[in-house]
Amino acid sequence: MGCWRVLGPVLPLLLLLHPPPSPACPAACRCSPGEVDCSERGLREVPWGLSTNTSTLWLGYNFIIVLGPRSFPPLPGLRLLSLPHNRLELIHGQALLGLGALQELDLSHNYLSVLSPETFQPLASLATLNLGSNRLGELEPVVLSALPQLQALLLQDNPWVCSCGILPLWRWLSLNREKVREKSLLLCRVPEQLNKYPIMAFGDESFRQCQETSLSSEQYITFLIIGPFSFIASIFFCTFMGSVVVFYHSLRRESHCWRRPRVCRVH
């Protein structure tokens, strides 16, 4: 009992002198409580060995080209992920699994030209998304619809193709103007006559021709049903007309033979 009484006040001092080991930090990064800075390290992939307590991860100015399936270890506390100025061309639909608490994602200054609808589905808490300075010509609204908490979207400095294909995105932008940052920098690149024309300056009349030529789902179904039937009917009609023509020429030949029997025998 005496020994325990002596160790009682000494034990806290020993713990202070020998604190518990801190979470591992990737060799290429600098770490502080809750923050991991892996910027400008020449990285070609996301480093593993990250602490599950990481809330901020800086990965800018590296050489990451692809984010494959489960590129990140489970980081349930990650709030900010910064990946600007890499060489990102592709983000797999399952690349961001395990980042459900993420609130801010910076993918600016990369080479992204296509984003699949599944890309941002795991990010139910994302509030800020920066896709500026990429190679996006079009963007399907379904990609953005997967972000129910989105409050700030940056899309500036992309080579937008201002044809009928951009109509769905224009509608989404028009309905969510308060979420779009730097609206004046959303400029057309193609076609040449609309180069540097602001996308948000378009009106309904600008897409009137697209709306007139676009088909509803009912119209597509009607064409799918009528198409094969009309094709079959045309075959029957052509066969019938061919038979009529052959029958007509046969009748003429027979009548000719009745009138000139000698000629018919020679032939």
Side-chain angles (χ1 to χ4, degrees):
M1 293 294 292
C3 292
W4 285 111
R5 290 176 182 174
V6 173
L7 288 174
V10 177
L11 189 58
L13 293 175
L14 292 175
L15 292 174
L16 289 174
L17 292 174
H18 299 280
S22 58
C25 181
C29 308
R30 298 183 297 270
C31 299
S32 58
E35 183 173 340
V36 180
D37 187 355
C38 306
S39 303
E40 301 181 83
R41 297 292 177 172
L43 299 176
R44 297 185 181 275
E45 59 183 13
V46 178
W48 280 69
L50 297 168
S51 169
T52 55
N53 296 325
T54 304
S55 60
T56 302
L57 178 56
W58 306 96
L59 285 166
Y61 296 91
N62 282 297
F63 301 102
I64 301 173
I65 298 175
V66 176
L67 292 179
R70 295 186 178 275
S71 289
F72 298 86
L75 298 172
L78 191 65
R79 300 290 188 273
L80 185 151
L81 174 58
S82 180
L83 277 158
H85 294 278
N86 274 271
R87 298 179 180 178
L88 269 178
E89 298 178 2
L90 177 65
I91 301 178
H92 190 273
Q94 298 182 347
L96 304 176
L97 288 176
L99 307 182
L102 196 66
Q103 296 179 357
E104 184 174 348
L105 175 60
D106 187 354
L107 296 169
S108 63
H109 298 277
N110 278 289
Y111 302 153
L112 295 171
S113 58
V114 177
L115 291 170
S116 68
E118 300 84 13
T119 302
F120 301 128
Q121 281 185 354
L123 309 181
S125 301
L126 195 70
T128 301
L129 175 61
N130 191 344
L131 292 171
S133 300
N134 274 278
R135 296 180 177 178
L136 296 170
E138 294 183 6
L139 182 62
E140 291 296 326
V142 67
V143 176
L144 304 173
S145 299
L147 301 171
Q149 303 300 322
L150 186 65
Q151 299 176 11
L153 175 66
L154 293 96
L155 294 171
Q156 72 282 357
D157 299 325
N158 277 286
W160 300 109
V161 178
C162 292
S163 62
C164 290
I166 207 172
L167 176 57
L169 177 61
W170 175 82
R171 284 174 174 164
W172 189 95
L173 295 173
S174 300
L175 294 173
N176 297 274
R177 288 177 177 270
E178 72 285 355
K179 298 180 181 180
V180 186
R181 303 290 184 267
E182 305 292 345
K183 289 187 280 288
S184 61
L185 298 179
L186 270 66
L187 306 176
C188 301
R189 180 73 60 83
V190 179
E192 186 177 354
Q193 58 267 30
L194 292 176
N195 186 31
K196 296 184 179 181
Y197 188 85
I199 294 178
M200 301 302 290
F202 287 120
D204 287 323
E205 66 282 355
S206 304
F207 297 98
R208 186 173 302 161
Q209 183 178 0
C210 302
Q211 294 169 340
E212 289 175 354
T213 57
S214 61
L215 299 176
S216 64
S217 57
E218 292 81 4
Q219 289 173 317
Y220 277 114
I221 294 172
T222 302
F223 280 124
L224 287 174
I225 295 174
I226 294 177
F229 282 106
S230 61
F231 176 73
I232 295 171
S234 64
I235 293 176
F236 278 109
F237 178 76
C238 292
T239 304
F240 173 75
M241 291 302 296
S243 301
V244 170
V245 171
V246 171
F247 181 70
Y248 173 74
H249 282 290
S250 299
L251 288 177
R252 289 193 61 184
R253 178 177 175 79
E254 289 181 5
S255 63
H256 183 72
C257 290
W258 279 104
R259 293 175 184 175
R260 297 186 176 182
R262 292 182 182 179
V263 177
C264 291
R265 290 194 193 102
V266 172
H267 291 286

